[in-house]
Amino acid sequence: MRVNTSEVIKRRYNRISSIYEVMDKMIKDTWRLNLLSQVSGEVLEVGIGTGTNLLYYPKHIHSLTGVDFSSGMLNHANEKVKRGNFPYPIELIDADIQNLPFPDNTFDSIVSTCVFCSVPDPIKGLKEIRRVCKPTGKIYMLEHMRSENKIIGLTMNVLNPLTVRLWGANINRETLRNIETSEIRIDNSISLMGSIFRQLILSPNKNK
Ligand SMILES: C[S@@+](CC[C@H](N)C(=O)[O-])C[C@H]1O[C@@H](n2cnc3c(N)ncnc32)[C@H](O)[C@@H]1O
């Protein structure tokens, strides 16, 4: 029987959604704040999860649309939206990053934090965010990826099946290469944890 990877990952996030925030301390608050203070206009956050980033968006953005394919994670984000008093409209949508329900060139800023390690087909997902980003827009990421250190990289390859099984995240994704394959331009890359964790500012590169 053919395994539907998206369904497996979705179920895994549904299962861990109630303990996700206690478990996941990988991204420092200051990293989120530095990244999100740069976004503006109509913002799309892909893989919004439990909505941790909601604390950090600047008040002046026009709107925020959050998508995630795990209803369990989205329930927690919805609670935060109800409790918070946000000065901009927020819409949360149950959708797959690999097939976004938006027309081309919709958003000024697109955000992903710790998401492309678990999107089943990362290149398909990256091409989708490029498609829905305005030609003048920017893509803002905090993502972990395979180390450039040979030994650490090989160790990550060995451990990867275990991390995928436990929490649905690949630790050996070649995210920089995937970004380039998706015809997205890397404007700025800051290493936050050696070559494993980076802040990335990207352009959809549509006016080549
Ligand atoms: C590691 S969590 C990160 C959540 C949040 N961005 C954060 O910084 O805390 C990854 C999230 O991406 C979502 N995700 C992974 N692949 C997805 C896909 N193809 N479509 C929509 N959401 C996806 C998962 O459901 C999960 O909520």
Side-chain angles (χ1 to χ4, degrees), residues 6 9-10 12-14 16 20-21 24 27 32 45-53 67-74 93-100 111-121 125 142-144 167-169:
S6 289
I9 308 268
K10 204 186 288 188
R12 217 155 268 158
Y13 276 105
N14 282 338
I16 62 170
Y20 178 77
E21 287 185 12
D24 189 80
I27 309 184
R32 292 188 193 268
E45 181 173 344
V46 292
I48 191 167
T50 58
T52 307
N53 286 334
V67 304
D68 204 289
F69 69 1
S70 157
S71 53
M73 298 291 270
L74 273 182
I93 301 173
D94 190 332
D96 190 330
I97 298 163
Q98 300 161 117
N99 187 18
L100 288 168
V111 172
S112 85
T113 59
C114 256
V115 173
F116 279 90
C117 54
S118 56
V119 176
D121 183 340
L142 285 172
E143 293 287 348
H144 65 84
W167 75 93

Side-chain angles (χ1 to χ4, degrees), residues 8-193:
V8 173
I9 308 268
K10 204 186 288 188
R11 277 204 297 271
R12 217 155 268 158
Y13 276 105
N14 282 338
R15 217 168 40 231
I16 62 170
S17 60
S18 53
I19 52 162
Y20 178 77
E21 287 185 12
V22 183
M23 227 174 75
D24 189 80
K25 296 284 173 221
M26 185 179 241
I27 309 184
K28 291 188 187 162
D29 297 349
T30 49
W31 297 353
R32 292 188 193 268
L33 187 63
N34 284 343
L35 183 81
L36 296 170
S37 62
Q38 303 176 59
V39 310
S40 59
E42 314 289 339
V43 181
L44 170 68
E45 181 173 344
V46 292
I48 191 167
T50 58
T52 307
N53 286 334
L54 287 167
L55 278 177
Y56 304 98
Y57 281 105
K59 288 191 171 53
H60 59 72
I61 64 171
H62 295 169
S63 68
L64 173 66
T65 305
V67 304
D68 204 289
F69 69 1
S70 157
S71 53
M73 298 291 270
L74 273 182
N75 286 343
H76 290 273
N78 260 312
E79 283 305 313
K80 289 194 181 74
V81 172
K82 273 190 224 146
R83 283 200 311 267
N85 192 11
F86 296 96
Y88 43 83
I90 303 180
E91 188 179 16
L92 298 180
I93 301 173
D94 190 332
D96 190 330
I97 298 163
Q98 300 161 117
N99 187 18
L100 288 168
F102 310 111
D104 297 356
N105 309 326
T106 303
F107 297 99
D108 299 293
S109 303
I110 302 186
V111 172
S112 85
T113 59
C114 256
V115 173
F116 279 90
C117 54
S118 56
V119 176
D121 183 340
I123 293 177
K124 202 168 173 199
L126 287 163
K127 285 186 174 164
E128 271 296 87
I129 63 172
R130 177 179 184 272
R131 179 183 69 75
V132 301
C133 189
K134 289 180 185 170
T136 52
K138 292 276 177 207
I139 301 161
Y140 300 85
M141 292 186 168
L142 285 172
E143 293 287 348
H144 65 84
M145 55 203 78
R146 189 179 187 277
S147 172
E148 284 169 3
N149 176 292
K150 212 171 165 186
I151 298 186
I152 301 176
L154 286 173
T155 309
M156 289 171 120
N157 284 352
V158 173
L159 293 178
N160 196 59
L162 189 67
T163 61
V164 172
R165 213 184 159 77
L166 286 178
W167 75 93
N170 292 270
I171 54 169
N172 66 345
R173 285 266 163 98
E174 308 247 18
T175 300
L176 294 183
R177 199 158 72 193
N178 292 342
I179 287 169
E180 277 163 0
T181 305
S182 311
E183 296 189 67
I184 294 173
R185 191 179 69 223
I186 302 174
D187 293 336
N188 185 261
S189 166
I190 299 176
S191 298
L192 299 170
M193 201 192 281

